[in-house]
Amino acid sequence: MTIKRLVILASFMTFANVAKAQTFHIEPITSNTVADVGIIEMPRSNTVTVLFDNRSITFRPSINDSSVLDDAKNAALITVRGRTSTPITSAKDEQLALSRAVSARNYLIERGVSPLKIHVNYASRSDFIADNSTPEGRRQNQRVEIELVYVTPTSSYSSVTQ
């Protein structure tokens, strides 16, 4: 058989398996369900927003934000979102948003956070949190948001019945 025929045959077999697949009943997670698997505490998160001067990529958190970020190495997951206040998307502004996010990421890594925990997201001309037609509004939109997600396991999964 040729490669093309094998690919078509494999695709057909996959489709046939999907057609025969069983359906599953999915229950919503309730407090009883959560207690059954031994998870008592739900994940909690904290978001720090750091503003940037116009066209700047220098990450300067406030003293209060610095103290929150000092605990970032204990977070299970960190999402860094870089944003700009530009009304029109351009490659230059996308690079600015990315550079702001990378600046925040580097700050966290320098303080002992594993880079494997950090997810970087960036965009220009989106996610405005303030009126972009005023100088103060544009300043609010020129930002990086750092979301820290903490998960505190309270017991092991080994006791879960299967």
Side-chain angles (χ1 to χ4, degrees), residues 106-146:
N106 291 343
Y107 175 93
L108 294 169
I109 292 169
E110 289 169 4
R111 280 151 184 79
V113 176
S114 169
L116 299 175
K117 294 181 179 184
I118 304 171
H119 176 263
V120 172
N121 174 294
Y122 65 97
S124 64
R125 196 187 141 203
S126 68
D127 283 344
F128 294 149
I129 58 171
D131 180 2
N132 211 36
S133 66
T134 67
E136 182 54 33
R138 284 190 296 278
R139 175 131 167 86
Q140 294 291 319
N141 292 328
Q142 298 171 169
R143 70 192 188 283
V144 166
E145 296 172 338
I146 303 170

Side-chain angles (χ1 to χ4, degrees), residues 75-118:
L77 175 68
I78 301 168
T79 302
V80 178
R81 293 181 289 271
R83 299 295 185 256
T84 68
S85 63
T86 56
I88 299 171
T89 302
S90 70
K92 186 177 179 180
D93 289 313
E94 287 288 308
Q95 182 62 44
L96 178 61
L98 172 60
S99 295
R100 287 175 175 166
V102 169
S103 178
R105 178 184 180 272
N106 291 343
Y107 175 93
L108 294 169
I109 292 169
E110 289 169 4
R111 280 151 184 79
V113 176
S114 169
L116 299 175
K117 294 181 179 184
I118 304 171

Side-chain angles (χ1 to χ4, degrees), residues 12-79:
F12 176 75
M13 290 173 59
T14 301
F15 178 75
N17 288 339
V18 169
K20 293 189 301 184
Q22 297 177 353
T23 58
F24 297 93
H25 174 73
I26 300 174
E27 293 182 37
I29 295 178
T30 64
S31 59
N32 290 341
T33 307
V34 172
D36 290 344
V37 296
I39 302 171
I40 307 300
E41 186 174 331
M42 298 299 288
R44 60 183 172 84
S45 68
N46 191 4
T47 301
V48 172
T49 301
V50 176
L51 305 181
F52 286 80
D53 291 332
N54 194 32
R55 311 307 290 165
S56 174
I57 62 169
T58 304
F59 184 76
R60 290 189 196 127
S62 69
I63 292 173
N64 290 338
D65 292 339
S66 291
S67 65
V68 172
L69 295 175
D70 285 345
D71 190 44
K73 60 185 163 197
N74 296 320
L77 175 68
I78 301 168
T79 302

